[in-house]
Amino acid sequence: MQTSFRILSGTARPLTLAALSLAIVGALVAPSNADASAFQLKENSAKAMGRAYAGSATAGGDVSVVVNNPAAMSDLKGTYLQADVTAINFSTKFSGTATDVMGRPIEGGNGGDGGTTLPVPALFFATQVSDRMHLGFGFSVPFGFQTEYDRNWKGRYGAVKSKFQSLDATLSASFDVTDNFSLGASVIAQKTSAELTSAINYNAVGLSIQQGIGANAAAGVAKIQAAAAAGQLSPQAAQAMIQAAMQEAQAAAAGVAAATPVGGDGFARIKGDDWAYGWQLGGYWKLSPNDKLALNYRSKISHTLEGTGNFTTTAGYDALLANPQLAASIPPFQHTTGTADFTTPAVASASYWHQAERFGLGIDLAWTKWSAFQDLTVNYGNSQPSTTEHYNWRNTWYASVGGDYNVNDKLTVRAGIAVDSTPTYLATRSARVPDSTRKLATVGLSYQASDNFEINASYAHIFVNNAHVDTIDSTGNRLAGNFEDYGNLLGVSATYKF
């Protein structure tokens, strides 16, 4: 490319840095939806799922209390091992429009079904070590999500693949303070990881660079005119200099336009992970022979995700990089490192259960402090300055009611309903997390195969309100429309008492 790019000095870097910022902020740390709001998961008990998690810590006979409320281990007399797995089938389909920074339609389809089917495992062990003391260990997945759209869909600059998960290893203990009151505590080791991809719109990068060229040229012309007005330049010299500057600017802009045509996309793939630690405290009351109440608080867990980013460029963008006048001003979109602080939120919950002779009824209420997810700042391993994306999520509530019916000594059936509010709203919702308020309807059953062995199976359908989106990314691409979501959950578990 023979075009001079001197006029680009100081104009290309801010735009290309913005594009790189978008790729890493939107991929390294932007989390990714199943049965609970945003990317929170409740799927650690097939038994509790059958009643929409009502009575999750108080219904009894469920070893998942090791991670849901350690104080409730008080009811587990003996030694237990429980294994759960839940298949999450989540569907999300987009309908709407996408335009670039110039208002031109972005080519591509609606992305297909961005949902997926994934298994969520859980494993729990609890043992009574004395008349008043219990210990337990649990493995669970409290946060996780995955969406993946067609690679060439119209919203590809905001999201293609989003995969996020937190894996918890929990060590719990409980102590019976009295015959009717217990306290419990847990230490939580959590590994959080993310893998996300998106396209990079080099045409939008080029358009902004051309705008910068025009602004620099206009500033140069103004200086020449001022010098001529002050008598420092003759009118003829000033006119010649203005003409030369304009011709150089037009040539530079044309060269950038040729190097970054419409559809000249790159691709970003980002991975990051981190280990961090948290805790929880629980209380468990036997209010009467038939009524139980449990309260639990789980702490936030603060991570510093460390990751790597890999980027593909185009021949045209490589040509811009090959020009020595530009090489120091625009990032090469090559392998780099990055870190970002991210926090999984604190959760406070209450669980109540009333047991009659053959029928039990439960209520659960949970509050999640999603307001901790306000801003995400990425610090880069190269010379790029830190960047911040604003999310401003809201705190959420989860409320459920459900019950069990003992058909006979071996068979129990259950059902429940729940509502789960979303932390997102129109100004903060994106294709990576196309979330909205959810409602659950669930059914399940247990079969007592022997005195020591029980199996459980449950099914839940998730109804999701339309998720409206209207977002503009850092290179000016706008995605506007609706996501239609729904989910199906199928969980099974086995519990053995030694």
Side-chain angles (χ1 to χ4, degrees):
M1 183 175 294
Q2 302 300 319
T3 304
S4 172
F5 289 98
R6 288 179 296 169
I7 197 73
L8 281 169
S9 178
T11 67
R13 184 175 178 82
L15 196 287
T16 48
L17 290 183
L20 186 58
S21 302
L22 171 70
I24 294 187
V25 170
L28 176 62
V29 294
S32 329
N33 224 316
D35 127 66
S37 61
F39 50 95
Q40 187 178 14
L41 298 176
K42 288 183 173 292
E43 288 81 8
N44 58 30
S45 170
K47 191 172 187 177
M49 187 175 79
R51 63 179 94 89
Y53 303 100
S56 61
T58 49
D62 192 341
V63 196
S64 68
V65 295
V66 169
V67 301
N68 293 325
N69 187 324
M73 289 191 296
S74 173
D75 273 349
L76 299 175
K77 306 303 182 183
T79 299
Y80 294 79
L81 179 65
Q82 179 174 310
D84 287 77
V85 63
T86 302
I88 300 176
N89 168 246
F90 176 72
S91 173
T92 181
K93 296 181 179 180
F94 175 76
S95 60
T97 62
T99 54
D100 66 11
V101 68
M102 301 294 289
R104 301 171 301 187
I106 296 175
E107 294 186 357
N110 284 331
D113 191 337
T116 188
T117 299
L118 291 173
V120 176
L123 182 67
F124 312 102
F125 173 81
T127 186
Q128 185 177 11
V129 296
S130 71
D131 288 344
R132 294 185 175 272
M133 176 73 71
H134 294 73
L135 294 177
F137 173 80
F139 169 83
S140 59
V141 186
F143 301 97
F145 183 67
Q146 179 171 325
T147 55
E148 186 168 7
Y149 306 96
D150 297 339
R151 185 158 170 163
N152 62 347
W153 82 295
K154 63 182 65 174
R156 60 189 176 274
Y157 303 121
V160 175
K161 180 179 180 180
S162 307
K163 183 178 181 180
F164 177 90
Q165 66 179 8
S166 291
L167 307 177
D168 280 10
T170 304
L171 181 62
S172 298
S174 73
F175 180 75
D176 297 344
V177 180
T178 69
D179 291 342
N180 296 316
F181 176 63
S182 302
L183 287 174
S186 304
V187 177
I188 305 167
Q190 183 178 89
K191 182 178 182 180
T192 294
S193 60
E195 177 188 356
L196 299 101
T197 68
S198 60
I200 302 173
N201 189 346
Y202 285 121
N203 178 251
V205 173
L207 289 172
S208 292
I209 292 174
Q210 293 172 62
Q211 292 174 354
I213 292 172
N216 270 13
V221 167
K223 289 181 180 179
I224 295 171
Q225 291 173 335
Q232 299 172 350
L233 291 172
S234 68
Q236 295 80 5
Q239 184 61 36
M241 292 176 66
I242 290 173
Q243 185 176 1
M246 294 303 296
Q247 289 176 345
E248 183 179 3
Q250 291 169 359
V256 172
T260 56
V262 174
D265 294 349
F267 201 71
R269 175 174 281 105
I270 312 295
K271 291 184 177 182
D273 59 52
D274 179 59
W275 278 97
Y277 302 90
W279 52 270
Q280 69 177 342
L281 293 174
Y284 181 67
W285 291 264
K286 297 176 182 176
L287 304 176
S288 75
N290 303 103
D291 298 278
K292 302 172 186 177
L293 175 68
L295 301 177
N296 192 71
Y297 181 82
R298 173 191 168 98
S299 74
K300 67 180 183 181
I301 300 181
S302 300
H303 293 270
T304 297
L305 300 180
E306 298 182 357
T308 59
N310 289 282
F311 306 91
T312 60
T313 59
T314 63
Y317 193 78
D318 289 340
L320 297 181
L321 290 172
N323 189 295
Q325 296 178 22
L326 281 180
S329 300
I330 60 177
F333 285 96
Q334 292 177 346
H335 176 83
T336 187
T337 59
T339 64
D341 292 336
F342 174 72
T343 299
T344 54
V347 181
S349 61
S351 180
Y352 168 78
W353 187 257
H354 173 78
Q355 184 65 54
E357 183 177 356
R358 298 175 69 91
F359 180 79
L361 178 68
I363 300 172
D364 260 41
L365 187 65
W367 173 81
T368 302
K369 194 178 181 182
W370 281 118
S371 60
F373 190 42
Q374 293 291 304
D375 301 297
L376 287 173
T377 298
V378 180
N379 300 302
Y380 303 99
N382 56 16
S383 59
Q384 181 179 344
S386 299
T387 57
T388 298
E389 288 277 322
H390 304 289
Y391 287 86
N392 301 315
W393 279 11
R394 299 167 174 169
N395 298 330
T396 62
W397 288 94
Y398 179 93
S400 64
V401 58
D404 290 356
Y405 179 74
N406 300 319
V407 179
N408 53 46
D409 291 342
K410 290 186 174 295
L411 181 63
T412 300
V413 296
R414 54 182 57 94
I417 57 174
V419 62
D420 191 15
S421 62
T422 176
T424 69
Y425 47 100
L426 183 61
T428 64
R429 191 174 293 120
S430 72
R432 290 205 184 275
V433 189
D435 188 48
S436 191
T437 295
R438 304 146 182 248
K439 301 175 183 67
L440 282 76
T442 70
V443 293
L445 58 84
S446 296
Y447 182 72
Q448 192 74 41
S450 70
D451 291 341
N452 298 76
F453 184 62
E454 179 186 77
I455 55 176
N456 299 276
S458 295
Y459 168 78
H461 183 76
I462 305 172
F463 305 87
V464 187
N465 294 351
N466 278 349
H468 306 291
V469 295
D470 191 351
T471 60
I472 299 176
D473 64 33
S474 66
T475 51
N477 307 296
R478 180 181 182 184
L479 184 70
N482 297 300
F483 283 90
E484 293 185 3
D485 305 341
Y486 70 83
N488 293 294
L489 311 175
L490 179 63
V492 294
S493 70
T495 303
Y496 188 83
K497 179 181 180 181
F498 294 89

